[in-house]
Amino acid sequence: MASGVKAIRGMNDILPEESYFWEYFEQTARQWLAAYGYRNIRTPIVEQTDLFIRSIGEVTDIVEKEMYTFIDHLNNDSLTLRPEGTASCARAAIEHNLLYAGPQKLYYAGPMFRHERPQKGRYRQFHQVGVEALGYAGPDIDAELIVMCVRLWKLLGISNLRLEISTLGNTESRTLHRSRLLKYFERHRDKLDEDSLRRLYTNPLRILDSKNPGMQQIIENAPRLIDDLDSESWSHFESLQRILRERGINYDINLRLVRGLDYYNRTVFEWVTDKLGAQGTVCAGGRYDGLVEQMGGKSTPACGFAMGVERLLSLMQECGKKIHQPDPDIYIVYQGDEQVVDYAWKCAEFLRDEGFDVILHCGGGSFKSQMKKADSSGAVYALIIGNDEFRAQEVTIKPLRELIEQVSLKLSKVAEIINKKDLY
Ligand code: ATP
Ligand code: MG
């Protein structure tokens, strides 16, 4: 490797200091997903570019300017690093006929890629955990997805997340709304920025999603989708709200909630915080009843969400959650002839069988220098093995963190004096 090669901007290394925090999150999330009956699906990180264009929508931030698209020069295919997970899940479900076996509760976890301007909470490789409930018409499943999130926030020690919900109606109400929006924005053409002008005739709904502060006033006064809503979507939305109230879940209705992907209809929701600055949405989702059919599958109502892991972990830290990797239990120092060495290796494996985290000293050296290593390893106990111990088939155990005398004892007794610990 050439000297000075660095990681790509916006794509982070997660170092051991931090990775345990990730592992803790992943472990918690896996148990939480299982508790609601979701099963893992693992799709490739690279897909045909068309998959994302067709599902996410041509006139969206992601497809217009955030995708890592490249030509595979070996066969001239246009490929894209996945910017999100729903399209791949739907593709895999169709490709493998999963939906013929009935509704599917799927989850995925892993890196996503978007070419955005890197800043706190916004990266070019970031991670999501997402769930997709395929084949469920709701609104009970919409509500359960939200109830699920509430449980995860509790498990992670996160407070101060606000739930915003809205409804986007069905295709017809969106078409009606689209034409009303178009007329409105045409009247205010002079106030539109470059992006919005471009979107005026292709996807005026997208204008509502503009993050340009100068556009907020005109967006504020635009016609509201709620006024064009079809009656079924309205009652779906009311049922969702009723279940949320019954479950004691607070929410705000934000009629300006526009999701950045075209495939959403009816229920949409976001979990937001003001503790993370501008990157305040940690989890977002909604219903996408038309996507599977549009992609060539059978008509399949569906609902899902995705959470940004980096933002969630930052929020956990903001909320004071502290997670440190447990120190090893035992550091074995040893010295002697071949038989002693063999005995030390056997002791290490025996103790690992017993469930302890054991570091067997590597690289030789005097007892004194090995003990220094044991001390700085963070281990709770040093296990000393020399000729005397080997002859007596014992080990000497020395607490490193407490002022207690060392003792020599049979290996099988070690577990009795060291409390077994749980992983987390
Ligand atoms: P934003 O409005 O912040 O750009 P988005 O609407 O593009 O978010 P989604 O496509 O809904 O985001 O993705 C779901 C979640 O994934 C977001 O709520 C966020 O937590 C996370 N996320 C999205 N893009 C990034 C990114 N570039 N870096 C880190 N996390 C991200
Ligand atoms: Mg975005």
Side-chain angles (χ1 to χ4, degrees), residues 61-62 66 114 116 122 211 311:
D61 277 349
I62 294 180
E66 295 175 359
R114 298 185 193 176
E116 303 193 69
R122 194 174 291 287
K211 295 196 173 87
R311 292 184 195 178

Side-chain angles (χ1 to χ4, degrees), residues 209-269:
D209 203 20
S210 165
K211 295 196 173 87
N212 180 351
M215 291 280 303
Q216 295 315 306
Q217 187 60 44
I218 178 173
I219 288 172
E220 199 50 47
N221 297 327
R224 301 176 321 158
L225 179 92
I226 207 91
D227 299 325
D228 299 324
L229 210 63
D230 58 291
S231 60
E232 283 99 22
S233 293
W234 184 244
S235 61
H236 186 111
F237 192 46
E238 285 193 315
S239 304
L240 167 66
Q241 290 182 56
R242 199 193 59 244
I243 305 174
L244 292 180
R245 283 196 301 270
E246 279 165 4
R247 305 265 63 79
I249 294 172
N250 294 326
Y251 58 88
D252 294 328
I253 296 179
N254 175 2
L255 300 175
R256 292 287 173 222
L257 208 62
V258 182
R259 305 284 303 110
L261 307 90
D262 274 357
Y263 50 62
Y264 287 107
N265 67 299
R266 288 200 176 163
T267 309
V268 286
F269 63 89

Side-chain angles (χ1 to χ4, degrees), residues 126-159:
F126 62 100
H127 297 75
Q128 286 185 339
V129 171
V131 318
E132 313 292 356
L134 304 174
Y136 295 88
D140 48 359
I141 200 84
D142 307 16
E144 197 191 50
L145 290 180
I146 288 169
V147 167
M148 239 176 119
C149 290
V150 172
R151 178 180 291 268
L152 183 64
W153 310 151
K154 276 203 199 105
L155 289 170
L156 297 177
I158 291 176
S159 50

